[in-house]
Amino acid sequence: GAVVSQHPSWVICKSGTSVKIECRSLDFQATTMFWYRQFPKQSLMLMATSNEGSKATYEQGVEKDKFLINHASLTLSTLTVTSAHPEDSSFYICSARDRPTYEQYFGPGTRLTVT
Amino acid sequence: AQKITQTQPGMFVQEKEAVTLDCTYDTSDPSYGLFWYKQPSSGEMIFLIYQGSYDQQNATEGRYSLNFQKARKSANLVISASQLGDSAMYFCAMREDTYSGAGSYQLTFGKGTKLSVIP
């Protein structure tokens, strides 16, 4: 089956610093990748949809200047949390959509802790 | 309005028994897909089963089956012969399959049901 990787799997950073999370589709091309955020004991909340070569589409209430998304190739999308604060601590999950089938495959997630 | 409703925040089931996790959905799109995912404590989203809106038969995958009642807009997950490893969060999700612009083909998730299997 299709594999999506995320790196890092967990990260601890200090308040005010920026953190970059990578999402890669390993064996398929993904024109579209999704970024989700999940707080403890809650559901996945879609943050943004990124399409290769174009600007990401952010969901209402998500600060695009804080959560920078880049989808520079058909296999890589990155989420950068800029000037992170403790309230940004969360579990971030990416998923990639397989171009021919529209099936969506999830990465293993990245646990971010901001101290 | 919520598109996916999971009314059971938590469920308990005895090992080796069957359990049904409820999911109702709301859409006016005639073409859609329904998904169930399992999320163990590690956080990864594990795809379990898929049902298309035009599928005539209920989907089955091993111990998982989807009880699809289109008129009632329900897509309940049935897990047979529960195992301790089934303890996890379970999410129902829907994808509307008619193109409608930038947000097309997104998955919409329910709030989830935490299943605990008792030995």
Side-chain angles (χ1 to χ4, degrees):
Chain A
V3 178
V4 176
S5 70
Q6 264 184 260
H7 179 80
S9 55
W10 59 269
V11 57
I12 301 172
C13 71
K14 291 188 175 180
S15 190
T17 61
S18 295
V19 174
K20 181 185 283 188
I21 302 169
E22 290 187 350
C23 177
R24 292 181 185 272
S25 57
L26 297 186
D27 49 5
F28 67 98
Q29 292 185 332
T31 50
T32 302
M33 290 186 173
F34 302 92
W35 287 95
Y36 297 86
R37 184 174 182 175
Q38 187 180 30
F39 290 109
K41 299 184 180 180
Q42 293 190 23
S43 187
L44 280 70
M45 183 194 79
L46 180 66
M47 299 174 65
T49 302
S50 76
N51 292 295
E52 185 262 338
S54 63
K55 289 184 179 180
T57 303
Y58 290 82
E59 296 299 303
Q60 196 170 7
V62 177
E63 299 174 61
K64 60 183 178 184
D65 294 332
K66 181 167 189 59
F67 299 100
L68 301 179
I69 292 172
N70 183 277
H71 191 162
S73 78
L74 286 172
T75 59
L76 173 64
S77 176
T78 59
L79 167 69
T80 301
V81 183
T82 62
S83 187
H85 288 102
E87 56 265 31
D88 298 325
S89 299
S90 189
F91 191 58
Y92 293 87
I93 306 175
C94 75
S95 71
R97 189 161 69 201
D98 191 355
R99 193 153 65 166
T101 67
Y102 293 108
E103 294 304 321
Q104 202 168 322
Y105 302 96
F106 285 86
T110 296
R111 203 165 297 278
L112 170 64
T113 302
V114 185
T115 61
Chain B
Q2 271 196 358
K3 288 192 172 184
I4 295 287
T5 303
Q6 293 181 253
T7 58
Q8 306 152 315
M11 289 278 287
F12 290 90
V13 63
Q14 203 77 36
E15 193 178 5
K16 299 179 185 174
E17 296 291 311
V19 63
T20 298
L21 306 184
D22 294 342
C23 173
T24 57
Y25 60 92
D26 183 27
T27 182
S28 57
D29 192 336
S31 179
Y32 54 90
L34 297 158
F35 301 77
W36 277 93
Y37 290 89
K38 172 184 178 182
Q39 188 181 41
S41 56
S42 61
E44 60 182 314
M45 294 290 285
I46 301 170
F47 166 74
L48 295 178
I49 197 166
Y50 165 82
Q51 179 87 41
S53 59
Y54 294 116
D55 293 342
Q56 296 294 317
Q57 293 192 328
N58 287 345
T60 60
E61 289 286 348
R63 294 188 298 113
Y64 305 107
S65 60
L66 200 152
N67 185 358
F68 181 45
Q69 298 188 41
K70 196 170 182 176
R72 295 185 177 183
K73 293 190 174 179
S74 77
N76 298 340
L77 176 71
V78 180
I79 305 175
S80 63
S82 296
Q83 302 171 356
L84 295 178
D86 294 334
S87 294
M89 282 292 290
Y90 288 81
F91 292 99
C92 179
M94 178 177 66
R95 184 188 68 205
E96 293 168 323
D97 289 338
T98 298
Y99 182 74
S100 59
S104 296
Y105 315 124
Q106 290 174 1
L107 283 174
T108 302
F109 287 89
K111 293 189 175 184
T113 295
K114 182 172 182 179
L115 178 67
S116 300
V117 181
I118 306 165

